[in-house]
Amino acid sequence: GLTMPSIGILAAGATLCTTKYPWGLLKQVEWKTLGFLVGLFLTVSGLEQTGLLNGLAQVLAKLAGGHPVRTVVVLIASAFVDNVPMAAVMVPVLLSLSDTLGMDLQTLTWTVSKGTDIGGIATPIGASANVTGVAVAAREGAPIGWKRYCKYALPASVLVLLLSMTMILLMH
């Protein structure tokens, strides 16, 4: 009956209680990144509570025109938004889309999963790990700018996303 945040807090507390040097461990935390992620989750929660996510589902349904292939293409665009909050945002949106369009929820879920997981590699803010990695690199004196990051990551992400979209369309 525990929520995911509760489990995370318990694990962090247990780690701090069982280490010899809790202050040293706390100094190593990427506080800016942690604050960024907390802010993202608070924003997602606010969007859900205000009903804006249902509006997003309606906009996506209109963009796709009720056509399954277009819906897959629209949802794979989730690749270019941070993957953790995007996945959290999309849960109620997918449920609403499934009801509105009469599409298989599994197909919609796989599409967003591929878009957020694979596509999250494309930009420095596409995944929480990317944000953390770029922040650590900058802190260590080796900053990685958007242009350099995307030069290497974007082409590979687009290729894998196209393959994923093809597989989803063939399988579903």
Side-chain angles (χ1 to χ4, degrees), residues 53 56 60 75 78 85-95 97 112:
L53 296 183
L56 176 60
L60 290 175
L75 289 178
S78 64
M86 184 63 178
V89 164
M90 292 307 287
V91 170
V93 172
L94 294 179
L95 291 169
L97 271 176
V112 169

Side-chain angles (χ1 to χ4, degrees), residues 44-109:
V44 169
S45 178
L47 291 171
E48 188 173 10
Q49 296 296 321
T50 59
L52 288 173
L53 296 183
N54 284 333
L56 176 60
Q58 292 171 3
V59 169
L60 290 175
K62 284 181 184 177
L63 280 173
H67 193 273
V69 173
R70 278 190 250 155
T71 302
V72 168
V73 172
V74 167
L75 289 178
I76 209 93
S78 64
F80 301 99
V81 180
D82 189 289
N83 59 4
V84 174
M86 184 63 178
V89 164
M90 292 307 287
V91 170
V93 172
L94 294 179
L95 291 169
S96 181
L97 271 176
S98 179
D99 289 342
T100 304
L101 300 176
M103 282 185 69
D104 178 38
L105 183 59
Q106 184 178 9
T107 302
L108 296 172
T109 304

Side-chain angles (χ1 to χ4, degrees), residues 80 118-119 122 153-165:
F80 301 99
I118 296 167
L154 189 60
S157 295
V158 169
L159 176 64
V160 177
L161 282 171
L162 289 172
L163 290 171
S164 295
M165 188 172 13

Side-chain angles (χ1 to χ4, degrees), residues 16 22-35 139:
L16 287 173
W23 297 116
L25 188 61
L26 287 172
K27 286 181 183 178
Q28 294 177 18
V29 172
E30 279 293 321
W31 292 105
K32 288 181 184 179
T33 305
L34 190 60
R139 184 183 70 205

